[in-house]
Amino acid sequence: MRHLLDTQHLSRAEALEILDVAEDMADTQRREVKKLPTLRGKTVVNLFFEDSTRTRISFEAAAKRLSADVINFSAKGSSVSKGESLQDTAQTLQAMGADAVVIRHGASGAPRTLATSGWITAGVVNAGDGTHEHPTQALLDAFTIRKRLFGDDSRGRDLDGIRVTIVGDVLHSRVARSNVWLLHSLGARVTLVAPPTLVPQDVRGWPVEIDYDLDHAIAAAPDALMMLRIQLERMNAAYFPTEREYSRRYGLDARRLADLPTDSIVLHPGPMNRGLEISAEAADSPRSTVLEQVTNGVSVRMAVLYLLLAGERSDTEKEDLR
Ligand code: NCD
């Protein structure tokens, strides 16, 4: 794998390889000494033009557990605020010897520009670009669903026939887009639930069903319910009457939680707006995978960095992981 820019162009086989390597990584993370020597001497740059807590820290933890050197760059307080372009910033990092660049950017397509421009030779990982995609989030979500549903039997398995319902601000969500493509490749059946104002116009071309009624969608007994954050920072208009009304119609509260089948799970990428799209009862219930998603995120990002930077290494080195 040279770059990870999206899940739309990731094949089922490539996705399963990442998920299975992530299983190996997760096994190593249960050892007393979590650090592996695999990426010693490699440099990973975290290039974050948008705010982030968990994604940046997760990539940093992943790179460090593989013994790579990590340089964290955030646009605030850097020359970007003096107007330096993406090209100049990227070329500066390249000149410092970056082997991989993990980029989060407000503009959809920025990671692809970086990967295809010829400005740098490093591998590029998209950590969220505008409202376009957030591939490692979708991979960690799929990993979490697979692990919860199949336990120790997860390796090699896809999500054939699993029903996943994604609820909320689909319009502004790169998490939803990456999940739709990945879940579809893995064989899952995806339903989107949102008010009509938060459903994107191009949704007709997506491999999904649409439902405007959350209670109806819950009655259809999904295996996994993924709640999305209402992205107030991306809203420049009134997409719903009031937060209270949104919460009443599209929030996951205790009653709706009780209406879900007993073994179905609840995901949220974080950060959560407690009381808006998800109630405290739902967020803290045993069905909620929110913290498992965070833990699994480190293993999945270790797998991605490993496949990007050590993919050509020998089988004996791969054996070291086991
Ligand atoms: C998501 C993002 O930034 O797109 N968060 C994350 O990466 N954990 C989702 C969100 O911000 O709602």
Side-chain angles (χ1 to χ4, degrees), residues 54-55 104 134 137 174-175 229 231 269-271:
R54 66 207 82 214
T55 303
R104 168 167 288 198
H134 190 355
Q137 179 70 45
R174 52 197 177 204
V175 174
R229 184 174 65 88
Q231 309 218 347

Side-chain angles (χ1 to χ4, degrees), residues 57-306:
I57 291 173
S58 182
F59 271 109
E60 183 172 354
K64 286 184 169 162
R65 301 234 173 119
L66 292 169
S67 302
D69 291 321
V70 181
I71 298 173
N72 286 314
F73 172 98
S74 70
K76 270 192 204 121
S78 75
S79 292
V80 170
S81 56
K82 297 180 187 165
E84 187 167 31
S85 68
L86 181 59
Q87 176 177 358
D88 288 327
T89 306
Q91 284 174 329
T92 302
L93 298 170
Q94 171 81 17
M96 288 178 191
D99 296 295
V101 175
V102 176
I103 177 173
R104 168 167 288 198
H105 200 286
S108 299
R112 179 168 295 279
T113 303
L114 199 58
T116 56
S117 59
W119 299 332
I120 60 169
T121 54
V124 175
V125 181
N126 180 2
D129 60 332
T131 58
H132 173 230
E133 282 225 30
H134 190 355
T136 59
Q137 179 70 45
L139 286 159
L140 76 89
D141 292 336
F143 184 89
T144 303
I145 295 171
R146 199 172 77 150
K147 221 172 176 54
R148 268 277 185 129
L149 298 184
F150 307 136
D152 291 337
D153 279 343
S154 311
R155 271 195 185 76
R157 288 183 73 161
D158 64 13
L159 299 177
D160 189 30
I162 300 297
R163 289 143 52 105
V164 183
T165 297
I166 304 177
V167 186
D169 187 358
V170 179
L171 182 65
H172 300 104
S173 180
R174 52 197 177 204
V175 174
R177 284 172 183 73
S178 282
N179 263 290
V180 164
W181 300 119
L182 181 65
L183 288 168
H184 177 67
S185 307
L186 293 175
R189 288 167 51 195
V190 183
T191 302
L192 302 179
V193 180
T197 49
L198 290 176
V199 175
Q201 296 207 330
D202 59 343
V203 83
R204 272 189 206 89
W206 299 7
V208 297
E209 279 173 32
I210 312 281
D211 196 336
Y212 299 107
D213 182 337
L214 181 55
D215 290 309
H216 180 256
I218 285 177
D223 299 293
L225 193 65
M226 182 181 298
M227 304 307 296
L228 299 173
R229 184 174 65 88
I230 285 288
Q231 309 218 347
L232 293 168
E233 80 279 16
R234 296 191 203 276
M235 293 188 183
N236 51 8
Y239 289 90
F240 45 84
T242 62
E243 291 191 2
R244 200 166 149 199
E245 174 69 4
Y246 179 84
S247 186
R248 195 178 65 74
R249 297 198 50 191
Y250 294 99
L252 183 64
D253 57 14
R255 177 184 63 79
R256 290 189 171 121
L257 189 69
D259 286 346
L260 278 169
T262 26
D263 43 6
S264 61
I265 57 173
V266 174
L267 296 97
H268 192 301
M272 293 185 278
N273 294 309
R274 281 172 183 257
L276 181 51
E277 71 267 359
I278 189 163
S279 72
E281 292 98 318
D284 301 329
S285 88
R287 289 141 177 271
S288 158
T289 62
V290 172
L291 294 176
E292 279 157 65
Q293 287 170 271
V294 174
T295 304
N296 293 339
V298 176
S299 304
V300 165
R301 288 169 179 129
M302 286 173 77
V304 168
L305 292 174
Y306 171 80

